[in-house]
Amino acid sequence: MDKIVINGGNALNGQVRINGAKNSALKLMAAALLSDAPITLTNMPDLADTRFMAHLLAHLGVDVSRENGTQMRLHAKALAAPFAPYDLVRKMRATFNVLGPLLARQGHARVSLPGGCAIGARPVDLHLKALEAMGVQIDLQEGYAVANAPKGLQGAQINFPFVSVGATEHALLAAVLAKGETVLENAAREPEITDLANCLNAMGAKVTGAGSATITIKGVSSLAGATHRVVPDRIEAGTYALAVAATGGDVLIENCDPAHLGALWDRMRAIDSGVEHVDAQTVRIIQKNDRCAAADVETQAYPGFPTDLQAQFMAVMCRANGASIIRETIFENRFMHAPELSRLGADITVHGREAIVRGMPTLHGAPIMATDLRASVSLVIAALSAKGQSEVNRVYHLDRGFEGLERKLSALGADIKRVRET
Ligand code: UD1
């Protein structure tokens, strides 16, 4: 298994280019199932997760090819049997979003219930309820959702009891080809939802209100092909910004959308990190002090502070000048990085959904283990700011979501390398 070896202590300086958003890319890929014409996605990241989704789509009969490195063409001309087996679904939750499009195209489907990062129970009840409201009959049998839409998908009024990114996207993917109008209330407002709606509209769908809590979809009978540019990855951009806050330095983060990270910039200003908006695609992070100030943070659905940056923020707080309280409101078990950060000398106490981090002047390198995707990059950030050598094990978690992490960090001056072990 590969590991990443980091000699901490170097400041980060220079420029880093952000990729397209993994979380958006996965749902855009699922959208290709909705049309028999080709979809071309540009600014596509090349990650373990996008490859995994490509395998599943190929199994479902989609012709998937990579062109020019950052472009992917998906053509669902004629689909195979609508069956998504456990082995092609279990590693990643976003794969479950193929169910709605398969029902829209084929009227029935059998899709394994998903796996994904071990950050709490993460059920799919809201996904299933939304589909049921659209006239789908669903039986859960031996770990599979066996679904039939005997009269086709029907437009519906769907009120989500709480905000779910995945369920909003799933309902959207199903509703575009449903008969009549669908209204989603209490919909997620993440930029990835707007990105999906933009792509669907480019394919001929009639979606309005994406980015607000009420999304209206007027069903159409078929969708065409389209070319769509994947929105920049706000989590990758935020991760590099927090890495600079941890190590010190001066970095231009390019090809991102700083407007999608307002809640992060607010917290970074609170900890005395310099955030300069250079233009609509570029932000500059300047960290002059060796130690940031401490500040509290609470994760919230967009436009609040993203849960996917909570671990990285905690890594920064480990060396802050003071104590901070970090409250996780989205997932019930998302502090698995805390004990690993403690191995580097961090002082963290977890009480349920709250962690108290007392900043230490120095962290010390140690062997550590990645536990989930965002947690693992928080360990990298902490190791970059620690004295001495750290080894991050189980780095396959990182490969799910961060393209070229070592290459990008090395270019910024970090002493980081991947050691391949057979
Ligand atoms: C997506 C992102 C993930 C991010 C999360 C929250 C992708 C591939 N993943 O995950 O990186 O951390 O949004 O911003 O886009 N829930 C239910 N029932 C459901 C669905 C969700 O109880 O049917 C719960 C979840 O367990 C969680 C909360 O709702 O506690 C929010 O989850 P959700 O927004 O759905 O996250 P994902 O779409 O899985």
Side-chain angles (χ1 to χ4, degrees), residues 22-24 26-27 93-94 119-128 162-167 169 190 234 307-308 329-332 334 353 374:
K22 169 188 85 89
N23 285 355
S24 205
L26 296 172
K27 321 303 165 55
R93 206 173 145 74
I119 49 174
R122 299 183 90 181
V124 286
D125 53 327
L126 298 189
H127 298 235
L128 300 178
F162 53 89
V163 173
S164 160
V165 175
E169 289 165 333
E190 270 66 3
R234 64 198 165 96
T307 174
D308 285 355
T329 74
I330 310 289
F331 293 109
E332 74 273 22
R334 206 172 197 182
R353 288 184 172 222
R374 309 303 177 184

Side-chain angles (χ1 to χ4, degrees), residues 134 154-158 171 174-176 178-184 215-219:
M134 285 186 232
Q154 311 291 324
Q157 170 80 31
I158 297 166
V176 283
K179 277 192 208 104
E181 185 176 279
T182 299
V183 179
L184 308 180
I215 303 179
T216 305
I217 304 123
K218 290 198 167 62

Side-chain angles (χ1 to χ4, degrees), residues 20-216:
K22 169 188 85 89
N23 285 355
S24 205
L26 296 172
K27 321 303 165 55
L28 294 166
M29 290 173 76
L33 286 166
L34 291 166
S35 171
D36 62 7
I39 307 298
T40 300
L41 298 174
T42 65
N43 199 33
M44 264 298 279
D46 186 11
L47 298 162
D49 275 13
T50 50
R51 287 174 186 212
F52 192 68
M53 188 66 156
H55 280 142
L56 171 62
L57 292 176
H59 173 86
L60 294 170
V62 184
D63 182 21
V64 187
S65 55
R66 273 242 165 222
E67 299 163 339
N68 314 326
T70 59
Q71 198 161 303
M72 183 182 271
R73 184 176 183 275
L74 302 110
H75 193 183
K77 193 168 170 45
L79 291 176
F83 171 54
Y86 176 66
D87 268 354
L88 293 179
V89 168
R90 69 187 161 86
K91 281 194 204 160
M92 197 177 77
R93 206 173 145 74
T95 47
F96 194 63
N97 283 38
V98 300
L99 177 57
L102 288 175
L103 286 165
R105 267 297 279 284
Q106 287 164 294
H108 63 108
R110 194 162 155 248
V111 175
S112 170
L113 296 166
C117 281
I119 49 174
R122 299 183 90 181
V124 286
D125 53 327
L126 298 189
H127 298 235
L128 300 178
K129 281 195 187 118
L131 292 173
E132 280 169 349
M134 285 186 232
V136 181
Q137 295 164 357
I138 303 174
D139 287 319
L140 297 182
Q141 293 173 5
E142 294 158 359
Y144 281 81
V146 181
N148 282 289
K151 295 185 195 148
L153 296 170
Q154 311 291 324
Q157 170 80 31
I158 297 166
N159 300 309
F160 292 111
F162 53 89
V163 173
S164 160
V165 175
T168 302
E169 289 165 333
H170 207 158
L172 192 52
L173 283 164
V176 283
L177 286 179
K179 277 192 208 104
E181 185 176 279
T182 299
V183 179
L184 308 180
E185 296 283 5
N186 201 21
R189 292 179 283 162
E190 270 66 3
E192 293 75 24
I193 308 275
T194 311
D195 199 36
L196 177 60
N198 289 344
C199 177
L200 291 168
N201 284 341
M203 293 164 72
K206 294 206 163 85
V207 181
T208 52
S212 78
T214 306
I215 303 179
T216 305

Side-chain angles (χ1 to χ4, degrees), residues 242 267 271 295 297 305 309-317 326:
L242 287 166
R267 290 297 79 196
I271 62 172
V297 81
F305 189 94
L309 288 174
Q310 177 258 107
Q312 298 89 316
F313 190 82
M314 185 184 284
V316 179
M317 289 300 94
I326 298 182

